[in-house]
Structure formats: C-alpha cells, structure tokens
Amino acid sequence: MADVPTHATTLAPTSPADAQALLLPYVLQLADTSLILAHRLSEWCGHGPILEQDLAMANIALDLLGEARSYYQYAAELEGKGRTEDDLAYLRSAVEYRNPLLVEQPNGDFAATIARQFLYDAFHYHLLLQLQQGPDRQLAAIAEKSVKEAAYHVKWSSEWVIRLGDGTEESRRRLEKALESLWRYSGELTTPNATEQALQAAGLVPDYAAIQQQVDAHVARVFEEATLPVPQGVFMQKGGKDGRHSEHLGYLLTELQYLQRTYPGLQW
Amino acid sequence: MSQKEWPLWEVFIRSKQGLDHKHVGSLHAADAEMAIQNARDVYTRRLEGVSIWVVESKHVHASNPDDAAAFYEPANDKIYRHPTFYTVPDSIKHM
Amino acid sequence: METLELTQEEQFQARIDADTRIEPKDWMPDAYRKTLIRQISQHAHSELVGMLPEGNWITRAPSLKRKSILLAKVQDEAGHGLYLYSAAETLGASRDQLLADLHAGKAKYSSIFNYPTLSWADMGTIGWLVDGAAILNQVPLCRTSYGPYARAMVRVCKEESFHQRQGFEIMQTLSEGSAEQKAMAQEALNRWWWPTLMMFGPKDSESPNTEQSMKWRIKRFTNDELRQKFVDMMVPQAEFLGLTIPDPELKWNEAKQGYDFGDVDWAEFWDVVKGNGPCSRERLQARVQAHEEGAWVREAALAHAEKRKQRAEAARAVAA
C-alpha cells in the first residue's frame, strides 16, 4: 500500500487510532451499498420475467440484505453510541448515505438491472476476496461469509450479460443501452475517496488498483463472450461515497424509511 | 417472434453426502447451466442439498404403468432371494 | 368397449379408495385430469398473484429483519407457484398455457388477493389469518390422491408454517406496542376478517363440485367444515392478541363445541370472484405486464442457448 497519491497525505491519519476512527464511515459505506442494491433488487419481487428468475433475484437481494445487516451491526459497535442496525439504516438522510451512485440507479428494464448488477458484482466479489484477508478481523469475517454469495452473484449476472449480449437483436440493443447509461457509474467503485485512501494507507482497505485490474479482466472476458465492446473513454461520475447522490436516492429512502419516520421510536 | 417456452427440466438433489440424488420436482430453464442454477435457487433455499442433477424432461424414459403386472409381480414369488427365507440355527453368529 | 372403460374407471376409484396415489402416467378419467389441472393451476395462480399484495410492502418494511423475512416469504410464494405449475405440467398442461388463461381472465385465483394492503399491519394479518386459512386448506391436500400434487403440497406446507408464525409475530408486536400500533392491528383485522372467511369458497349447498372432488380425494373437507375449523382456531388467537374479531354474532356454542358466527356477505364474494374486487384489475394487469415485459428476456435466453448448441455441434463436426 505504498503508492498513496500525495494529495491524500494531508487527509491521511497519522496514527492507527485515527485509521480505526475512519473505519466507521467505511463500514457504513459497505452497509449502505449492500442495502440500497438489495432494496432495488427487491423491487423486482413479483414482477420478474419468469418465476425462476424472480426467485434468483430475491435470493441475491436476501444475501445482500444479510451482508448489509452484518456491516450495520459492526458499524453500530464501532460507533459505540447505542444505535442499532435499524437506526443506522432508517434514520440517516440521503446526504449521510455513503453508497456509490451505481447501486441507487433505478431498475429500468431487466437489461439495466443486469448491467447494474454485473458491474457491481464484478467489483464486489473481488473486493471481498481481499477484505477477507484484511487485518480487521470482523470485516474479514463478514467478507469471508459474503464472498461465497458474491461468487454466485457474479456468475449469475455474468451469464445474463452473455445471454443478453449474444441473444437476440432486441436483448443486445437493450443491454447496450443499459451499459451506455450505467457504465459511467462503474469508475466510482474503484476510485478511492479520502476515507478509503487513508484506510488504504493504513492497510485496512485493499489496493483498488489491483482490484480494478481483476475487474477489468473479468469484464473483458465476459464482454468478449457476450460479443460486446468494452466502453472506452467514458466520463466517470462519482460522489455517492461522499454523500453527493443522484436524485433517485431520496425517493428510495423515503419509501425505505417511511414507517420509522412516521412513527418514531417504536418496535416492529 | 417465437412464443416458445423454456424447456422443462427434472431436478434431482442429493440432500447430503452419502445419499442418493432424489427427484424433487421440475422447473423451466433455457439451458442446462441455467437449469442447475435455477434448481439451486428454487429447490435448495433451506439447506436441502449438496449436489444437483438436472435432466431435460423430454429425455426421461419411463416404464409404462400397463406393464406393471408383467414387470413387478414376477418378483413376488422369488422369496428365496430374501435372507429371511433361510433358517439359521440360533447358535450360529455373524451370518 | 364400454364395459372395459367402466372397469378402468372402477379400478381407478378402487385405487383411490385404497389411498393408493395416482401417478402421471397412470390411466385416469378425463374429468379427473381436467378438474385437477383446474384446481392445481388455480392454486398456482393464487401463489403468483398472492405475491403482489405483500410485495407491495417489501420496500417499506419497518426494520431490516422484517424486510428480510417479508422478502423471503414472498419469494417462497414464487416457489410455491412454481412447484404447483410443475405438478400441473405432469398432467399435460403447459405453464405458458396456464398463464395465458390467467392473463385472459379465464382462470380463477383466490379472491383474497384482490384486496389492497394499506398498512404494515396487513403484513401481519395476511400471514396470521390468510396463511392460517390457506394452511387449513392445504394440509389435507398433502394426502390428496394425485402424487405430484400431494408431494408439491408437502413442500408448500413445510414452508408455509413459517409464514403464519411471522404474521402472528408481527400482530403480537403491534398489539403489545403503542396505541397507534394496536389500532393499526385492529383496523387490519377488521378489513381482512370477512374476506378471509370467503377464502374457503361458497357454502356447501352452493358448491356442486365438492361431492365429486371428495370422492376423488382431491378435496378432503367441505368448505363449511374448514370455515368452522378456522373460526374455532382463530378466536382464541385473537383473544390472546387482545384484538376483537369484527363479528357481533360470534359466540361459543356449547352444544356443537364450536363458535357460531355471522354470515359472509356473499354478494361481495361473488362480485370479487367475477373480477370486480377492489384490486382485481391491478393484480391481473401487474401479472400481464411482468409477463409481457419479460418476453424478450425469455426469448433472448432461448436464442442464446440455441446459438451455443449450434456452435458446439459445429465444433464437433470440425473435430470429427
């Protein structure tokens, strides 16, 4: 983790204790990411293209929800203020949410959902492979459990990319359109923000450059089989990880948090 | 635009190591790979399996129920195939 | 010829009377096959459409735990629909055709799913009441005469028991919660009680198929018997929750060792059955839309599978 960009050094913590303090926002980022994507996928439940795939998407959503809960529970523990997983999920506003922009994008058609899922799964799987070997034992434990799930997710979404890319003219057109609008959110996944840079410097978060290479290789392999060109030179949007979201997140949270906000402080 | 349905597959699951695969039901899938994954998503949500077989339903050949008498009843009188047919003296062990 | 047919039918009935299961390739009367396809597919459609009213609250579930449970439950319903369509397919029906009948409004499904879910308490009520009623219907079907149907029902019932428990747990949490939550639970019970009683179908006197279905053992209790069982089962549970069943005529009858209860609004029942339930149109539309919007996906997967097959064959030809 030697080659941290110089502009980050001013933000980088000077002691392990500071790095530990930055772990909380990072764990929240992981939690928010899994939750928001699970939420999006769960919107498909009952509306999938065929029963078998309805079940598949719900399984992925359930895996991600479970992963999100583990992170939130850990975040609550790190924070040490007596807040619960639900307080963290249900009582933070959009600007406090730390998920990357990609996962909050609306479902669109099945091709858009597959494109979003594929871009995320490819990153998620390779991230977890690294995190499970990281020095933070709790994070490593969560990653070790989740990586098995993510391995299945990436298999599922990769195969769908191939089917849709090398399926019919219509499926290819739809997938290309989806990639055209979603590719610009893929860069944020492996572009470290200040928190991540500091944690990378402290060795708590894996090197994203290496992950990017693995993701690129996977994407190239899948796209080749799907007979799709890998988009080049696309301007990459970012900001979600720092709370600067697209307008979609507000509506999502309004729905997600409706009951907790309407009837504060109750058990359900 | 074709209106064809995804083919039907029969699903067999081994519930744990050491046991046979057992027929659990069927599902639709476009190809074998997808059939295995669909089987995983549909039939193993509650730890029901450690291994999956899928066979496209059209490839399963079944015996005809009308042949049942000819097929299975002749075994009825072959009682000498069963160990209980034979008497072994009480004093003989390990047989 | 005619006497032979009669013998076959008599043999068939004798097997059923002896509780021997009928399997897909066995001879069966056409009417048995048709009735079963209708019954199993109605049941499958109910699971499929039944995903919608609860699916309506997945994104608004009030805690991460509840969200997981609800999603898993609605997903189970997809699974149940799938098991049941598979059972119907062993009788020679195709899922596509069954769905086409549903989408055309020709096939029925449980009337209960044509009511809207308006509050979180509806998730509790559906699990507790509606699934409770469904289980009463379904448990006897685990011993139904047609093998694939009975096996599908065993699987369904195993999974269904968690559904009812999670519903009861939601109701209990609400009943023990704030005044608002308790009111929410009572209001939901008020709305769902009567539609739930309707789930058992018309009165026995107006259910002409019951006798034949009982003879074939594809139905094992009459509608009124199950309705009575349900009320007797639910009254103490409602009392435990401190909720009032919205029926002024409800009272214990010592002589019959069961509850007397008021009559269902049968005009409403028939309206809903005929497709005029409060959400009938929306439910069907949602299903049609999902199916139509999924057409290109299903087609693409088939096209890709076909391409692969051809490539593999071409590669084999080159190798040979």
Side-chain angles (χ1 to χ4, degrees):
Chain A
M1 308 277 159
D3 49 358
V4 175
T6 44
H7 67 266
T9 49
T10 51
L11 296 160
T14 50
S15 73
D18 289 338
Q20 198 63 33
L22 284 175
L23 201 53
L24 173 61
Y26 181 68
V27 173
L28 275 175
Q29 174 186 316
L30 294 172
D32 293 342
T33 306
S34 292
L35 173 62
I36 298 300
L37 188 56
H39 183 102
R40 281 295 187 218
L41 276 176
S42 76
E43 293 171 359
W44 271 102
C45 188
H47 306 275
I50 187 166
L51 266 177
E52 283 81 353
Q53 294 304 317
D54 217 304
L55 280 134
M57 285 193 277
N59 270 344
I60 296 173
L62 284 167
D63 287 344
L64 289 169
L65 256 182
E67 189 186 353
R69 291 183 66 187
S70 300
Y71 291 136
Y72 280 127
Q73 286 160 13
Y74 182 32
E77 196 186 305
L78 283 171
E79 190 189 50
K81 289 183 184 166
R83 291 210 282 181
T84 65
E85 55 171 18
D86 288 331
D87 293 335
L88 292 172
Y90 285 84
L91 301 175
R92 282 157 58 242
S93 61
V95 291
E96 293 170 281
Y97 259 68
R98 288 288 175 262
N99 59 281
L101 297 168
L102 176 69
V103 297
E104 71 198 39
Q105 300 309 307
N107 286 342
D109 62 6
F110 188 73
T113 293
I114 289 298
R116 183 187 63 199
Q117 193 65 35
F118 172 70
L119 293 175
Y120 184 68
D121 289 344
F123 165 73
H124 188 210
Y125 172 65
H126 289 104
L127 172 71
L128 292 173
L129 277 180
Q130 298 298 319
L131 277 181
Q132 68 173 347
Q133 290 163 3
D136 187 85
R137 285 173 63 185
Q138 210 145 339
L139 214 46
I142 299 171
E144 195 188 336
K145 175 178 175 292
S146 303
V147 75
K148 295 172 199 144
E149 300 166 345
Y152 186 76
H153 304 169
V154 73
K155 186 174 165 65
W156 179 83
S157 57
S158 299
E159 283 175 12
W160 270 111
V161 165
I162 294 166
R163 277 189 201 106
L164 299 183
D166 186 27
T168 61
E169 259 175 57
E170 181 177 9
S171 67
R172 184 188 178 84
R173 182 175 51 74
R174 284 177 183 263
L175 184 59
E176 280 175 342
K177 195 170 156 233
L179 285 167
E180 202 214 331
S181 76
L182 291 167
W183 189 264
R184 63 198 162 122
Y185 300 116
S186 63
E188 185 183 7
L189 301 174
T190 44
T191 305
N193 68 1
T195 303
E196 289 168 304
Q197 284 172 10
L199 288 168
Q200 283 174 334
L204 281 161
V205 165
D207 174 18
Y208 284 173
I211 291 179
Q212 180 75 60
Q213 278 181 0
Q214 292 164 327
V215 171
D216 286 348
H218 180 80
V219 170
R221 212 163 45 236
V222 171
F223 275 32
E224 193 193 337
E225 212 178 323
T227 69
L228 289 167
V230 177
Q232 302 293 339
V234 178
F235 179 84
M236 290 294 178
Q237 295 289 339
K238 61 181 195 310
K241 294 197 287 197
D242 293 314
R244 296 191 308 277
H245 291 279
S246 62
E247 290 177 346
H248 303 298
L249 185 65
Y251 293 97
L252 188 156
L253 291 180
T254 303
E255 215 174 317
L256 179 92
Q257 300 178 337
Y258 153 68
L259 275 165
Q260 290 274 1
R261 299 284 194 183
T262 310
Y263 306 97
L266 301 182
Q267 293 300 310
W268 298 91
Chain B
M1 192 163 154
S2 82
Q3 294 292 326
K4 251 174 70 189
E5 205 172 2
W6 285 358
L8 191 66
W9 301 74
E10 300 301 320
V11 180
F12 301 81
I13 292 192
R14 185 200 297 289
S15 57
K16 64 178 203 195
Q17 290 299 111
L19 296 183
D20 289 328
H21 285 78
K22 188 172 162 244
H23 184 245
V24 295
S26 58
L27 48 74
H28 289 271
D31 53 47
E33 185 65 25
M34 192 204 270
I36 290 174
Q37 288 180 27
N38 288 353
R40 178 261 191 194
D41 284 322
V42 173
Y43 288 106
T44 68
R45 304 197 308 288
R46 288 176 169 81
L47 304 169
E48 293 99 331
V50 296
S51 167
I52 295 170
W53 287 352
V54 293
V55 181
E56 204 176 329
S57 307
K58 69 177 184 196
H59 295 315
V60 175
H61 300 270
S63 63
N64 188 333
D66 295 341
D67 294 336
F71 268 45
Y72 314 115
E73 284 175 25
N76 276 350
D77 62 355
K78 312 287 192 298
I79 43 174
Y80 46 79
R81 285 185 184 277
H82 300 276
T84 46
F85 179 73
Y86 304 90
T87 46
V88 176
D90 284 348
S91 57
I92 301 294
K93 303 292 176 204
H94 308 299
M95 187 175 281
Chain C
M1 191 68 206
E2 205 170 71
T3 44
L4 186 72
E5 189 78 349
L6 206 75
T7 317
Q8 236 169 355
E9 183 126 17
E10 277 168 0
Q11 279 175 354
F12 174 81
Q13 188 61 48
R15 289 183 68 183
I16 287 186
D17 293 342
D19 248 338
T20 303
R21 296 281 181 274
I22 307 301
E23 294 296 343
K25 291 179 86 90
D26 294 342
W27 183 89
M28 61 186 82
D30 272 352
Y32 176 83
R33 184 185 299 273
K34 277 196 194 119
T35 307
L36 262 182
I37 291 176
R38 194 180 59 229
Q39 182 176 330
I40 298 173
S41 63
Q42 276 182 11
H43 191 166
H45 298 330
S46 300
E47 298 282 357
L48 190 61
V49 178
M51 295 173 77
L52 299 170
E54 287 173 288
N56 184 33
W57 278 85
I58 292 171
T59 55
R60 288 177 289 173
S63 71
L64 296 177
K65 183 182 101 179
R66 292 283 174 217
K67 199 179 180 67
S68 308
I69 294 172
L70 186 60
L71 179 55
K73 173 181 193 272
V74 181
Q75 184 204 35
D76 273 351
E77 281 153 18
H80 299 174
L82 198 153
Y83 309 153
L84 288 158
Y85 284 122
S86 296
E89 285 174 287
T90 64
L91 290 158
S94 80
R95 195 200 289 178
D96 255 10
Q97 185 54 50
L98 298 174
L99 287 177
D101 290 346
L102 171 70
H103 297 156
K106 283 194 269 181
K108 300 266 176 269
Y109 56 87
S110 181
S111 56
I112 194 79
F113 302 118
N114 289 319
Y115 290 85
T117 51
L118 302 178
S119 81
W120 172 249
D122 290 17
M123 297 306 100
T125 316
I126 290 180
W128 170 49
L129 277 190
V130 175
D131 291 336
I135 289 170
L136 272 186
N137 254 320
Q138 290 166 357
V139 167
L141 292 176
C142 296
R143 295 182 296 118
T144 195
S145 62
Y146 186 57
Y149 189 21
R151 292 192 286 275
M153 290 316 301
V154 167
R155 197 171 271 277
V156 168
C157 287
K158 254 191 221 162
E159 300 185 356
E160 199 81 40
S161 56
F162 123 68
H163 295 182
Q164 198 191 9
R165 284 181 190 195
Q166 66 87 35
F168 186 81
E169 194 188 80
I170 291 175
M171 293 310 270
Q172 193 181 353
T173 309
L174 293 176
S175 308
E176 292 167 359
S178 72
E180 280 162 319
Q181 285 174 310
K182 194 162 181 168
M184 199 186 273
Q186 181 64 53
E187 190 277 333
L189 175 57
N190 293 349
R191 260 182 303 117
W192 289 95
W193 176 255
W194 292 106
T196 306
L197 290 190
M198 294 177 198
M199 284 174 70
F200 297 99
K203 279 194 265 210
D204 291 350
S205 55
E206 299 187 23
S207 179
N209 299 326
T210 295
E211 200 188 325
Q212 180 63 68
S213 291
M214 303 262 293
K215 206 174 142 215
W216 279 335
R217 302 204 179 168
I218 54 180
K219 187 167 178 168
R220 309 212 60 153
F221 294 97
T222 73
N223 297 350
D224 287 337
E225 281 168 358
L226 288 172
R227 204 171 355 250
Q228 179 70 51
K229 247 188 180 177
F230 177 73
V231 173
D232 292 344
M233 188 175 92
M234 282 302 157
V235 173
Q237 294 183 15
E239 278 169 4
F240 176 91
L241 292 171
L243 298 174
T244 309
I245 289 175
D247 179 358
E249 291 173 50
L250 186 76
K251 68 168 195 291
W252 178 251
N253 181 330
E254 189 62 34
K256 78 169 180 189
Q257 286 293 300
Y259 285 89
D260 290 332
F261 53 96
D263 205 12
V264 165
D265 179 349
W266 293 109
E268 178 182 326
F269 170 76
W270 290 112
D271 282 343
V272 179
V273 168
K274 283 177 197 143
N276 294 315
C279 292
S280 303
R281 198 167 280 267
E282 289 83 349
R283 299 290 185 242
L284 211 51
Q285 207 174 5
R287 283 315 316 163
V288 170
Q289 193 180 336
H291 191 74
E292 284 177 355
E293 289 179 357
W296 69 268
V297 180
R298 299 189 299 272
E299 206 185 329
L302 271 185
H304 179 71
E306 188 55 36
K307 281 185 192 178
R308 269 202 154 147
K309 206 156 91 190
Q310 281 175 9
R311 268 177 227 147
E313 274 162 19
R316 261 202 305 276
V318 169

